[in-house]
PDB file of all heavy atoms in Angstrom:
ATOM      1  N   GLU A1007      58.821 162.868 141.877  1.00 70.00           N
ATOM      2  CA  GLU A1007      59.632 162.673 143.077  1.00 70.00           C
ATOM      3  C   GLU A1007      60.587 163.840 143.284  1.00 70.00           C
ATOM      4  O   GLU A1007      60.645 164.453 144.349  1.00 70.00           O
ATOM      5  CB  GLU A1007      60.447 161.380 142.955  1.00 70.00           C
ATOM      6  CG  GLU A1007      59.636 160.109 143.107  1.00 70.00           C
ATOM      7  CD  GLU A1007      60.543 158.895 143.086  1.00 70.00           C
ATOM      8  OE1 GLU A1007      61.243 158.662 144.082  1.00 70.00           O
ATOM      9  OE2 GLU A1007      60.555 158.174 142.064  1.00 70.00           O
ATOM     10  N   ARG A1008      61.351 164.136 142.233  1.00 70.00           N
ATOM     11  CA  ARG A1008      62.370 165.189 142.349  1.00 70.00           C
ATOM     12  C   ARG A1008      62.853 165.539 140.938  1.00 70.00           C
ATOM     13  O   ARG A1008      63.619 164.773 140.341  1.00 70.00           O
ATOM     14  CB  ARG A1008      63.548 164.704 143.179  1.00 70.00           C
ATOM     15  CG  ARG A1008      64.573 165.799 143.512  1.00 70.00           C
ATOM     16  CD  ARG A1008      65.829 165.196 144.089  1.00 70.00           C
ATOM     17  NE  ARG A1008      65.564 164.370 145.237  1.00 70.00           N
ATOM     18  CZ  ARG A1008      66.349 163.361 145.646  1.00 70.00           C
ATOM     19  NH1 ARG A1008      67.432 163.072 144.961  1.00 70.00           N
ATOM     20  NH2 ARG A1008      66.029 162.648 146.703  1.00 70.00           N
ATOM     21  N   PRO A1009      62.396 166.665 140.379  1.00 71.00           N
ATOM     22  CA  PRO A1009      62.837 167.023 139.024  1.00 71.00           C
ATOM     23  C   PRO A1009      64.359 167.148 138.970  1.00 71.00           C
ATOM     24  O   PRO A1009      64.957 167.841 139.787  1.00 71.00           O
ATOM     25  CB  PRO A1009      62.155 168.386 138.786  1.00 71.00           C
ATOM     26  CG  PRO A1009      61.014 168.407 139.740  1.00 71.00           C
ATOM     27  CD  PRO A1009      61.476 167.636 140.955  1.00 71.00           C
ATOM     28  N   GLU A1010      64.967 166.453 138.015  1.00 82.00           N
ATOM     29  CA  GLU A1010      66.422 166.471 137.907  1.00 82.00           C
ATOM     30  C   GLU A1010      66.833 166.604 136.452  1.00 82.00           C
ATOM     31  O   GLU A1010      66.194 166.038 135.560  1.00 82.00           O
ATOM     32  CB  GLU A1010      67.017 165.201 138.539  1.00 82.00           C
ATOM     33  CG  GLU A1010      66.842 165.181 140.061  1.00 82.00           C
ATOM     34  CD  GLU A1010      67.302 163.887 140.702  1.00 82.00           C
ATOM     35  OE1 GLU A1010      67.218 162.839 140.037  1.00 82.00           O
ATOM     36  OE2 GLU A1010      67.747 163.923 141.855  1.00 82.00           O
ATOM     37  N   LYS A1011      67.895 167.339 136.215  1.00 92.00           N
ATOM     38  CA  LYS A1011      68.335 167.652 134.859  1.00 92.00           C
ATOM     39  C   LYS A1011      69.270 166.567 134.326  1.00 92.00           C
ATOM     40  O   LYS A1011      70.038 165.959 135.063  1.00 92.00           O
ATOM     41  CB  LYS A1011      69.051 169.003 134.861  1.00 92.00           C
ATOM     42  CG  LYS A1011      69.212 169.638 133.490  1.00 92.00           C
ATOM     43  CD  LYS A1011      69.884 170.995 133.595  1.00 92.00           C
ATOM     44  CE  LYS A1011      68.992 172.019 134.256  1.00 92.00           C
ATOM     45  NZ  LYS A1011      67.852 172.412 133.400  1.00 92.00           N
ATOM     46  N   VAL A1012      69.178 166.330 133.018  1.00 95.00           N
ATOM     47  CA  VAL A1012      70.015 165.350 132.334  1.00 95.00           C
ATOM     48  C   VAL A1012      70.879 166.077 131.307  1.00 95.00           C
ATOM     49  O   VAL A1012      70.360 166.679 130.358  1.00 95.00           O
ATOM     50  CB  VAL A1012      69.153 164.287 131.616  1.00 95.00           C
ATOM     51  CG1 VAL A1012      70.047 163.253 130.928  1.00 95.00           C
ATOM     52  CG2 VAL A1012      68.192 163.610 132.592  1.00 95.00           C
ATOM     53  N   ALA A1013      72.192 166.050 131.492  1.00 97.00           N
ATOM     54  CA  ALA A1013      73.122 166.662 130.536  1.00 97.00           C
ATOM     55  C   ALA A1013      73.523 165.626 129.495  1.00 97.00           C
ATOM     56  O   ALA A1013      73.672 164.445 129.799  1.00 97.00           O
ATOM     57  CB  ALA A1013      74.361 167.180 131.265  1.00 97.00           C
ATOM     58  N   TYR A1014      73.692 166.075 128.267  1.00 96.00           N
ATOM     59  CA  TYR A1014      74.098 165.148 127.205  1.00 96.00           C
ATOM     60  C   TYR A1014      74.941 165.893 126.180  1.00 96.00           C
ATOM     61  O   TYR A1014      74.917 167.128 126.102  1.00 96.00           O
ATOM     62  CB  TYR A1014      72.878 164.508 126.532  1.00 96.00           C
ATOM     63  CG  TYR A1014      72.030 165.484 125.736  1.00 96.00           C
ATOM     64  CD1 TYR A1014      72.278 165.723 124.387  1.00 96.00           C
ATOM     65  CD2 TYR A1014      70.973 166.173 126.339  1.00 96.00           C
ATOM     66  CE1 TYR A1014      71.509 166.608 123.659  1.00 96.00           C
ATOM     67  CE2 TYR A1014      70.197 167.064 125.621  1.00 96.00           C
ATOM     68  CZ  TYR A1014      70.466 167.276 124.277  1.00 96.00           C
ATOM     69  OH  TYR A1014      69.703 168.164 123.564  1.00 96.00           O
ATOM     70  N   LEU A1015      75.687 165.116 125.399  1.00 91.00           N
ATOM     71  CA  LEU A1015      76.500 165.690 124.331  1.00 91.00           C
ATOM     72  C   LEU A1015      75.564 166.141 123.217  1.00 91.00           C
ATOM     73  O   LEU A1015      74.985 165.324 122.515  1.00 91.00           O
ATOM     74  CB  LEU A1015      77.506 164.659 123.812  1.00 91.00           C
ATOM     75  CG  LEU A1015      78.368 165.092 122.631  1.00 91.00           C
ATOM     76  CD1 LEU A1015      79.238 166.289 123.010  1.00 91.00           C
ATOM     77  CD2 LEU A1015      79.240 163.932 122.156  1.00 91.00           C
ATOM     78  N   GLY A1016      75.408 167.465 123.092  1.00 84.00           N
ATOM     79  CA  GLY A1016      74.464 168.014 122.141  1.00 84.00           C
ATOM     80  C   GLY A1016      75.077 168.192 120.768  1.00 84.00           C
ATOM     81  O   GLY A1016      76.152 167.664 120.475  1.00 84.00           O
ATOM     82  N   PRO A1017      74.349 168.942 119.931  1.00 84.00           N
ATOM     83  CA  PRO A1017      73.122 169.679 120.234  1.00 84.00           C
ATOM     84  C   PRO A1017      71.879 168.800 120.160  1.00 84.00           C
ATOM     85  O   PRO A1017      71.975 167.583 120.007  1.00 84.00           O
ATOM     86  CB  PRO A1017      73.101 170.757 119.144  1.00 84.00           C
ATOM     87  CG  PRO A1017      73.766 170.097 117.981  1.00 84.00           C
ATOM     88  CD  PRO A1017      74.860 169.237 118.579  1.00 84.00           C
ATOM     89  N   GLU A1018      70.713 169.446 120.254  1.00 87.00           N
ATOM     90  CA  GLU A1018      69.454 168.732 120.146  1.00 87.00           C
ATOM     91  C   GLU A1018      69.408 167.964 118.831  1.00 87.00           C
ATOM     92  O   GLU A1018      69.788 168.475 117.779  1.00 87.00           O
ATOM     93  CB  GLU A1018      68.292 169.737 120.193  1.00 87.00           C
ATOM     94  CG  GLU A1018      66.917 169.094 120.168  1.00 87.00           C
ATOM     95  CD  GLU A1018      65.806 170.117 120.135  1.00 87.00           C
ATOM     96  OE1 GLU A1018      66.091 171.300 119.855  1.00 87.00           O
ATOM     97  OE2 GLU A1018      64.652 169.743 120.390  1.00 87.00           O
ATOM     98  N   GLY A1019      68.961 166.710 118.926  1.00 84.00           N
ATOM     99  CA  GLY A1019      68.882 165.873 117.735  1.00 84.00           C
ATOM    100  C   GLY A1019      70.087 164.976 117.539  1.00 84.00           C
ATOM    101  O   GLY A1019      70.106 164.149 116.621  1.00 84.00           O
ATOM    102  N   SER A1020      71.115 165.114 118.383  1.00 85.00           N
ATOM    103  CA  SER A1020      72.288 164.236 118.278  1.00 85.00           C
ATOM    104  C   SER A1020      71.908 162.824 118.701  1.00 85.00           C
ATOM    105  O   SER A1020      70.881 162.585 119.342  1.00 85.00           O
ATOM    106  CB  SER A1020      73.419 164.757 119.163  1.00 85.00           C
ATOM    107  OG  SER A1020      73.055 164.655 120.540  1.00 85.00           O
ATOM    108  N   TYR A1021      72.754 161.872 118.344  1.00 87.00           N
ATOM    109  CA  TYR A1021      72.484 160.482 118.744  1.00 87.00           C
ATOM    110  C   TYR A1021      72.522 160.346 120.260  1.00 87.00           C
ATOM    111  O   TYR A1021      71.783 159.543 120.832  1.00 87.00           O
ATOM    112  CB  TYR A1021      73.509 159.546 118.092  1.00 87.00           C
ATOM    113  CG  TYR A1021      73.322 159.405 116.598  1.00 87.00           C
ATOM    114  CD1 TYR A1021      74.281 159.884 115.706  1.00 87.00           C
ATOM    115  CD2 TYR A1021      72.180 158.809 116.075  1.00 87.00           C
ATOM    116  CE1 TYR A1021      74.112 159.771 114.333  1.00 87.00           C
ATOM    117  CE2 TYR A1021      72.004 158.694 114.706  1.00 87.00           C
ATOM    118  CZ  TYR A1021      72.968 159.171 113.837  1.00 87.00           C
ATOM    119  OH  TYR A1021      72.788 159.064 112.483  1.00 87.00           O
ATOM    120  N   THR A1022      73.374 161.126 120.906  1.00 91.00           N
ATOM    121  CA  THR A1022      73.413 161.073 122.368  1.00 91.00           C
ATOM    122  C   THR A1022      72.106 161.588 122.956  1.00 91.00           C
ATOM    123  O   THR A1022      71.624 161.069 123.972  1.00 91.00           O
ATOM    124  CB  THR A1022      74.603 161.891 122.907  1.00 91.00           C
ATOM    125  OG1 THR A1022      75.788 161.528 122.198  1.00 91.00           O
ATOM    126  CG2 THR A1022      74.808 161.620 124.391  1.00 91.00           C
ATOM    127  N   HIS A1023      71.514 162.592 122.336  1.00 90.00           N
ATOM    128  CA  HIS A1023      70.207 163.094 122.753  1.00 90.00           C
ATOM    129  C   HIS A1023      69.160 161.984 122.632  1.00 90.00           C
ATOM    130  O   HIS A1023      68.351 161.764 123.542  1.00 90.00           O
ATOM    131  CB  HIS A1023      69.818 164.291 121.891  1.00 90.00           C
ATOM    132  CG  HIS A1023      68.527 164.935 122.289  1.00 90.00           C
ATOM    133  ND1 HIS A1023      67.835 165.795 121.468  1.00 90.00           N
ATOM    134  CD2 HIS A1023      67.773 164.831 123.420  1.00 90.00           C
ATOM    135  CE1 HIS A1023      66.731 166.200 122.075  1.00 90.00           C
ATOM    136  NE2 HIS A1023      66.676 165.631 123.256  1.00 90.00           N
ATOM    137  N   GLN A1024      69.196 161.253 121.528  1.00 87.00           N
ATOM    138  CA  GLN A1024      68.261 160.141 121.344  1.00 87.00           C
ATOM    139  C   GLN A1024      68.470 159.068 122.408  1.00 87.00           C
ATOM    140  O   GLN A1024      67.504 158.499 122.932  1.00 87.00           O
ATOM    141  CB  GLN A1024      68.425 159.538 119.952  1.00 87.00           C
ATOM    142  CG  GLN A1024      68.036 160.475 118.820  1.00 87.00           C
ATOM    143  CD  GLN A1024      68.235 159.842 117.465  1.00 87.00           C
ATOM    144  OE1 GLN A1024      67.697 158.776 117.176  1.00 87.00           O
ATOM    145  NE2 GLN A1024      69.002 160.487 116.607  1.00 87.00           N
ATOM    146  N   ALA A1025      69.733 158.780 122.711  1.00 91.00           N
ATOM    147  CA  ALA A1025      70.028 157.777 123.738  1.00 91.00           C
ATOM    148  C   ALA A1025      69.505 158.227 125.094  1.00 91.00           C
ATOM    149  O   ALA A1025      68.952 157.432 125.861  1.00 91.00           O
ATOM    150  CB  ALA A1025      71.540 157.526 123.809  1.00 91.00           C
ATOM    151  N   ALA A1026      69.677 159.524 125.405  1.00 92.00           N
ATOM    152  CA  ALA A1026      69.187 160.058 126.683  1.00 92.00           C
ATOM    153  C   ALA A1026      67.669 159.934 126.775  1.00 92.00           C
ATOM    154  O   ALA A1026      67.126 159.478 127.790  1.00 92.00           O
ATOM    155  CB  ALA A1026      69.614 161.512 126.837  1.00 92.00           C
ATOM    156  N   GLU A1027      66.978 160.311 125.710  1.00 88.00           N
ATOM    157  CA  GLU A1027      65.515 160.237 125.729  1.00 88.00           C
ATOM    158  C   GLU A1027      65.022 158.801 125.795  1.00 88.00           C
ATOM    159  O   GLU A1027      63.946 158.538 126.336  1.00 88.00           O
ATOM    160  CB  GLU A1027      64.934 160.935 124.498  1.00 88.00           C
ATOM    161  CG  GLU A1027      64.931 162.443 124.596  1.00 88.00           C
ATOM    162  CD  GLU A1027      63.855 163.082 123.737  1.00 88.00           C
ATOM    163  OE1 GLU A1027      63.230 162.367 122.924  1.00 88.00           O
ATOM    164  OE2 GLU A1027      63.617 164.299 123.894  1.00 88.00           O
ATOM    165  N   SER A1028      65.807 157.866 125.259  1.00 85.00           N
ATOM    166  CA  SER A1028      65.378 156.467 125.298  1.00 85.00           C
ATOM    167  C   SER A1028      65.333 155.927 126.719  1.00 85.00           C
ATOM    168  O   SER A1028      64.663 154.929 126.984  1.00 85.00           O
ATOM    169  CB  SER A1028      66.307 155.602 124.440  1.00 85.00           C
ATOM    170  OG  SER A1028      67.553 155.361 125.100  1.00 85.00           O
ATOM    171  N   ARG A1029      66.046 156.575 127.647  1.00 86.00           N
ATOM    172  CA  ARG A1029      66.041 156.126 129.030  1.00 86.00           C
ATOM    173  C   ARG A1029      65.321 157.087 129.980  1.00 86.00           C
ATOM    174  O   ARG A1029      64.724 156.665 130.951  1.00 86.00           O
ATOM    175  CB  ARG A1029      67.481 155.914 129.525  1.00 86.00           C
ATOM    176  CG  ARG A1029      68.074 154.595 129.055  1.00 86.00           C
ATOM    177  CD  ARG A1029      67.321 153.411 129.657  1.00 86.00           C
ATOM    178  NE  ARG A1029      67.632 152.155 128.975  1.00 86.00           N
ATOM    179  CZ  ARG A1029      66.930 151.627 127.993  1.00 86.00           C
ATOM    180  NH1 ARG A1029      65.873 152.234 127.529  1.00 86.00           N
ATOM    181  NH2 ARG A1029      67.271 150.476 127.462  1.00 86.00           N
ATOM    182  N   PHE A1030      65.355 158.372 129.677  1.00 87.00           N
ATOM    183  CA  PHE A1030      64.758 159.350 130.589  1.00 87.00           C
ATOM    184  C   PHE A1030      63.434 159.919 130.082  1.00 87.00           C
ATOM    185  O   PHE A1030      62.804 160.703 130.775  1.00 87.00           O
ATOM    186  CB  PHE A1030      65.747 160.492 130.853  1.00 87.00           C
ATOM    187  CG  PHE A1030      66.937 160.071 131.663  1.00 87.00           C
ATOM    188  CD1 PHE A1030      68.132 159.729 131.052  1.00 87.00           C
ATOM    189  CD2 PHE A1030      66.861 159.988 133.043  1.00 87.00           C
ATOM    190  CE1 PHE A1030      69.239 159.339 131.792  1.00 87.00           C
ATOM    191  CE2 PHE A1030      67.955 159.599 133.805  1.00 87.00           C
ATOM    192  CZ  PHE A1030      69.147 159.267 133.174  1.00 87.00           C
ATOM    193  N   GLY A1031      63.012 159.521 128.863  1.00 82.00           N
ATOM    194  CA  GLY A1031      61.716 159.947 128.354  1.00 82.00           C
ATOM    195  C   GLY A1031      61.709 161.374 127.853  1.00 82.00           C
ATOM    196  O   GLY A1031      62.632 162.156 128.076  1.00 82.00           O
ATOM    197  N   GLY A1032      60.620 161.727 127.158  1.00 79.00           N
ATOM    198  CA  GLY A1032      60.523 163.045 126.553  1.00 79.00           C
ATOM    199  C   GLY A1032      60.234 164.162 127.535  1.00 79.00           C
ATOM    200  O   GLY A1032      60.450 165.328 127.234  1.00 79.00           O
ATOM    201  N   ILE A1033      59.734 163.826 128.727  1.00 79.00           N
ATOM    202  CA  ILE A1033      59.311 164.857 129.680  1.00 79.00           C
ATOM    203  C   ILE A1033      60.447 165.395 130.538  1.00 79.00           C
ATOM    204  O   ILE A1033      60.325 166.443 131.161  1.00 79.00           O
ATOM    205  CB  ILE A1033      58.189 164.298 130.593  1.00 79.00           C
ATOM    206  CG1 ILE A1033      57.469 165.449 131.319  1.00 79.00           C
ATOM    207  CG2 ILE A1033      58.753 163.277 131.574  1.00 79.00           C
ATOM    208  CD1 ILE A1033      56.275 165.001 132.118  1.00 79.00           C
ATOM    209  N   SER A1034      61.572 164.699 130.573  1.00 85.00           N
ATOM    210  CA  SER A1034      62.676 165.110 131.454  1.00 85.00           C
ATOM    211  C   SER A1034      63.277 166.447 131.026  1.00 85.00           C
ATOM    212  O   SER A1034      63.126 166.891 129.884  1.00 85.00           O
ATOM    213  CB  SER A1034      63.757 164.030 131.478  1.00 85.00           C
ATOM    214  OG  SER A1034      63.280 162.853 132.090  1.00 85.00           O
ATOM    215  N   ASP A1035      63.988 167.064 131.948  1.00 89.00           N
ATOM    216  CA  ASP A1035      64.625 168.358 131.715  1.00 89.00           C
ATOM    217  C   ASP A1035      66.043 168.108 131.206  1.00 89.00           C
ATOM    218  O   ASP A1035      66.892 167.591 131.935  1.00 89.00           O
ATOM    219  CB  ASP A1035      64.649 169.152 133.026  1.00 89.00           C
ATOM    220  CG  ASP A1035      65.139 170.571 132.839  1.00 89.00           C
ATOM    221  OD1 ASP A1035      65.278 171.008 131.677  1.00 89.00           O
ATOM    222  OD2 ASP A1035      65.385 171.250 133.857  1.00 89.00           O
ATOM    223  N   TYR A1036      66.312 168.481 129.955  1.00 93.00           N
ATOM    224  CA  TYR A1036      67.584 168.159 129.326  1.00 93.00           C
ATOM    225  C   TYR A1036      68.468 169.386 129.185  1.00 93.00           C
ATOM    226  O   TYR A1036      67.995 170.506 129.009  1.00 93.00           O
ATOM    227  CB  TYR A1036      67.360 167.537 127.939  1.00 93.00           C
ATOM    228  CG  TYR A1036      66.757 166.160 128.016  1.00 93.00           C
ATOM    229  CD1 TYR A1036      65.390 165.962 127.799  1.00 93.00           C
ATOM    230  CD2 TYR A1036      67.547 165.055 128.318  1.00 93.00           C
ATOM    231  CE1 TYR A1036      64.836 164.701 127.877  1.00 93.00           C
ATOM    232  CE2 TYR A1036      67.003 163.785 128.397  1.00 93.00           C
ATOM    233  CZ  TYR A1036      65.647 163.613 128.178  1.00 93.00           C
ATOM    234  OH  TYR A1036      65.101 162.367 128.269  1.00 93.00           O
ATOM    235  N   LEU A1037      69.781 169.142 129.265  1.00 95.00           N
ATOM    236  CA  LEU A1037      70.781 170.183 129.099  1.00 95.00           C
ATOM    237  C   LEU A1037      71.777 169.733 128.034  1.00 95.00           C
ATOM    238  O   LEU A1037      72.551 168.797 128.246  1.00 95.00           O
ATOM    239  CB  LEU A1037      71.516 170.437 130.423  1.00 95.00           C
ATOM    240  CG  LEU A1037      72.714 171.384 130.377  1.00 95.00           C
ATOM    241  CD1 LEU A1037      72.259 172.805 130.030  1.00 95.00           C
ATOM    242  CD2 LEU A1037      73.458 171.365 131.718  1.00 95.00           C
ATOM    243  N   ALA A1038      71.739 170.364 126.871  1.00 93.00           N
ATOM    244  CA  ALA A1038      72.674 170.041 125.794  1.00 93.00           C
ATOM    245  C   ALA A1038      73.959 170.825 125.999  1.00 93.00           C
ATOM    246  O   ALA A1038      73.924 172.051 126.173  1.00 93.00           O
ATOM    247  CB  ALA A1038      72.052 170.379 124.444  1.00 93.00           C
ATOM    248  N   VAL A1039      75.098 170.138 125.991  1.00 93.00           N
ATOM    249  CA  VAL A1039      76.394 170.811 126.128  1.00 93.00           C
ATOM    250  C   VAL A1039      77.276 170.445 124.941  1.00 93.00           C
ATOM    251  O   VAL A1039      76.992 169.513 124.192  1.00 93.00           O
ATOM    252  CB  VAL A1039      77.079 170.453 127.466  1.00 93.00           C
ATOM    253  CG1 VAL A1039      76.253 170.965 128.631  1.00 93.00           C
ATOM    254  CG2 VAL A1039      77.295 168.952 127.593  1.00 93.00           C
ATOM    255  N   HIS A1040      78.363 171.181 124.772  1.00 89.00           N
ATOM    256  CA  HIS A1040      79.128 171.137 123.527  1.00 89.00           C
ATOM    257  C   HIS A1040      80.207 170.066 123.479  1.00 89.00           C
ATOM    258  O   HIS A1040      80.792 169.837 122.411  1.00 89.00           O
ATOM    259  CB  HIS A1040      79.766 172.502 123.270  1.00 89.00           C
ATOM    260  CG  HIS A1040      80.810 172.857 124.293  1.00 89.00           C
ATOM    261  ND1 HIS A1040      80.493 173.330 125.550  1.00 89.00           N
ATOM    262  CD2 HIS A1040      82.166 172.770 124.247  1.00 89.00           C
ATOM    263  CE1 HIS A1040      81.599 173.535 126.235  1.00 89.00           C
ATOM    264  NE2 HIS A1040      82.625 173.202 125.479  1.00 89.00           N
ATOM    265  N   SER A1041      80.514 169.424 124.580  1.00 91.00           N
ATOM    266  CA  SER A1041      81.599 168.438 124.576  1.00 91.00           C
ATOM    267  C   SER A1041      81.366 167.378 125.647  1.00 91.00           C
ATOM    268  O   SER A1041      80.577 167.584 126.583  1.00 91.00           O
ATOM    269  CB  SER A1041      82.952 169.118 124.825  1.00 91.00           C
ATOM    270  OG  SER A1041      83.028 169.599 126.166  1.00 91.00           O
ATOM    271  N   ILE A1042      82.079 166.263 125.510  1.00 95.00           N
ATOM    272  CA  ILE A1042      81.994 165.196 126.511  1.00 95.00           C
ATOM    273  C   ILE A1042      82.508 165.706 127.857  1.00 95.00           C
ATOM    274  O   ILE A1042      81.918 165.420 128.907  1.00 95.00           O
ATOM    275  CB  ILE A1042      82.779 163.960 126.036  1.00 95.00           C
ATOM    276  CG1 ILE A1042      82.074 163.322 124.830  1.00 95.00           C
ATOM    277  CG2 ILE A1042      82.937 162.940 127.165  1.00 95.00           C
ATOM    278  CD1 ILE A1042      82.843 162.200 124.185  1.00 95.00           C
ATOM    279  N   GLN A1043      83.583 166.475 127.820  1.00 97.00           N
ATOM    280  CA  GLN A1043      84.122 167.042 129.064  1.00 97.00           C
ATOM    281  C   GLN A1043      83.096 167.935 129.749  1.00 97.00           C
ATOM    282  O   GLN A1043      82.975 167.945 130.980  1.00 97.00           O
ATOM    283  CB  GLN A1043      85.398 167.830 128.771  1.00 97.00           C
ATOM    284  CG  GLN A1043      86.062 168.374 130.025  1.00 97.00           C
ATOM    285  CD  GLN A1043      87.396 169.036 129.737  1.00 97.00           C
ATOM    286  OE1 GLN A1043      87.778 169.191 128.580  1.00 97.00           O
ATOM    287  NE2 GLN A1043      88.111 169.423 130.773  1.00 97.00           N
TER     288      GLN A1043
END
């Protein structure tokens, strides 16, 4: 429909990354950032 990026509290492999993938799947475009802000 419309490729959209998902930002999460990184880095790759963090629990937040796992939570993001649990809802947006492995195929989505992810952006790991260094802080909640």
Side-chain angles (χ1 to χ4, degrees):
E1007 287 185 74
R1008 188 191 305 155
E1010 291 175 330
K1011 197 178 291 290
V1012 181
Y1014 67 90
L1015 176 62
E1018 183 183 15
S1020 67
Y1021 290 114
T1022 311
H1023 183 197
Q1024 294 179 56
E1027 283 206 350
S1028 76
R1029 281 295 165 265
F1030 291 97
I1033 196 174
S1034 293
D1035 187 10
Y1036 291 100
L1037 173 66
V1039 296
H1040 66 281
S1041 69
I1042 292 173
Q1043 184 174 6

